[in-house]
Amino acid sequence: MTAVSFTEESFSALKDEIDDWVRGPGEEYANTIEKTGSVPASLFGDLKSRGYFSLAAPEYLGGQGIPFDRYLELMEIFSRSHGSVRMLVHVINGTWRAMEPFATDEQRENIIKPSVAGDVLVAFTLTEATAGSGADIRSTVRREGDSYVLNGEKHLITFGVKCDYWLMAARIEGSTGKDGFVALLLPNTGLAGVEVVDDSETMGIRGTDHAILRFTDVRVPASARLGDEGDGLAVTLGGFLLPSRVSVAMSCVGLAERAQELAVEYANRRETFGKKIAERQAIQFMLAENYADIAAARALVLEAARAFQTGAANAGILSSASKMIAVDMITRVTDKALQVHGGQGYWKRNTIERVYRDARAPRFEEGTNEIQKQVVARSVLNGTAVY
């Protein structure tokens, strides 16, 4: 798809197009993924050909230049589909942000632009089995001439099996704090000393590959470094995780909307004792609470998105706060939506069962709520929180 400048008219048409895709081909893909446990190659190709991987990137990278806060309106729609669809669109539309400010011209041409085009897949590679909040990582590198020697282990790495590059976070041996943090673009090309374990059997977002990665004295050219030594924390946290938290929060909104839609449809169809359950006050209260919950979370997510878009000082705290609220919201909404379905909701033949499972993943994506609460509390206590 050729990149075009953002206009309200084109954006409105794009939203309608995505909604039609989600309700049509997207549902067919969802059923296939649930049956097979894997994402068909045709799905990736379909999303790529429609330009859905290049929505948020600027035009000079081959993207469509849609502002972040408006792009999230599209993420809201995608998130009503299968979790693997949402994951593909979310990750590929986000990793360029981490790389672009620190990339060399060669990295930009050979990795970032192809990533935006959907020709190269980059996996964000931070979390470890014994660490994961960022500065506590234990994977290390040591400099030997024109190379780094990498040791460590990563887990829960989305697309870590099939990706072309790992956007790797490590620290220089013996260092502490942010100054020793390094980001590397490591090719997934069978490097000596790399073990890739497929760890894709998950509760929800079936079909998305996840990896455990082990690195033993892996020699990496220094030219694979992204930015300077010490830039790694800015690459991983500011460049990717801050906006990604807001995107995950909006994915909660979109999936909650789908759960609510399913609950309303079922309530208007199901009868007990000669009466539609939609006429029963207990059901009405659940649906009313869901509506208010979704609307409140959506408003905060969009506020956080606008703060990031404009570079506001409170963008970081709003990013964490929006994810806190949205994650708690989707937990309540999907639970009530499943309850509206009664026993029927427990069976896999009903879409709400899949939605309920997919809704659990955001509770640990891009940092658990416990981490987000620490971030928010720190800002509140030191007086930097702005209301």
Side-chain angles (χ1 to χ4, degrees), residues 220-269:
V220 183
S223 60
R225 191 183 66 224
L226 194 61
D228 296 326
E229 292 183 356
D231 284 340
L233 200 60
V235 171
T236 55
L237 299 189
F240 183 78
L241 286 180
L242 193 159
S244 189
R245 288 186 189 116
V246 188
S247 184
V248 170
M250 185 56 95
S251 76
C252 292
V253 172
L255 191 57
E257 290 168 346
R258 178 60 172 146
Q260 175 81 334
E261 180 181 67
L262 292 168
V264 170
E265 289 174 357
Y266 187 80
N268 281 321
R269 184 172 72 248

Side-chain angles (χ1 to χ4, degrees), residues 108-130:
R108 187 171 293 109
E109 292 299 320
N110 294 337
I111 301 175
I112 299 178
K113 288 184 178 180
S115 172
V116 170
D119 295 324
V120 164
L121 183 58
V122 179
F124 184 71
T125 310
L126 174 66
T127 305
E128 300 177 1
T130 57

Side-chain angles (χ1 to χ4, degrees), residues 104-171:
T104 63
D105 289 341
E106 184 178 356
Q107 290 168 335
R108 187 171 293 109
E109 292 299 320
N110 294 337
I111 301 175
I112 299 178
K113 288 184 178 180
S115 172
V116 170
D119 295 324
V120 164
L121 183 58
V122 179
F124 184 71
T125 310
L126 174 66
T127 305
E128 300 177 1
T130 57
S133 64
D136 61 338
I137 63 169
R138 300 183 182 184
S139 294
T140 63
V141 291
R142 67 176 184 271
R143 187 69 181 260
E144 292 186 357
D146 292 332
S147 300
Y148 287 106
V149 178
L150 170 67
N151 284 280
E153 181 175 314
K154 302 289 184 178
H155 80 155
L156 308 183
I157 305 304
T158 303
F159 306 131
V161 177
K162 298 177 183 177
C163 67
D164 299 291
Y165 288 87
W166 297 296
L167 176 50
M168 175 71 55
R171 66 167 53 258

Side-chain angles (χ1 to χ4, degrees), residues 21-23 25-40 43 47 75 77-90 202-208 251 254-255 258 351 353-355 357-359:
W21 185 89
V22 164
R23 295 181 183 279
E27 277 300 296
E28 295 177 14
Y29 281 121
N31 293 332
T32 298
I33 293 168
E34 287 300 304
K35 289 177 182 177
T36 65
S38 62
V39 170
L43 170 58
L47 294 170
M75 177 51 57
I77 301 171
F78 279 115
S79 300
R80 297 170 190 158
S81 186
H82 192 279
S84 283
V85 171
R86 185 268 297 182
M87 192 68 79
L88 282 165
V89 175
H90 161 68
T202 54
M203 176 190 294
I205 54 172
R206 285 173 56 79
T208 298
S251 76
L255 191 57
R258 178 60 172 146
T351 305
E353 186 273 343
R354 184 194 84 217
V355 169
R357 284 186 286 107
D358 282 352

Side-chain angles (χ1 to χ4, degrees), residues 259-280:
Q260 175 81 334
E261 180 181 67
L262 292 168
V264 170
E265 289 174 357
Y266 187 80
N268 281 321
R269 184 172 72 248
R270 170 69 165 151
E271 290 187 7
T272 59
F273 301 98
K275 190 177 184 179
K276 295 282 174 53
I277 64 171
E279 300 175 43
R280 301 190 182 280

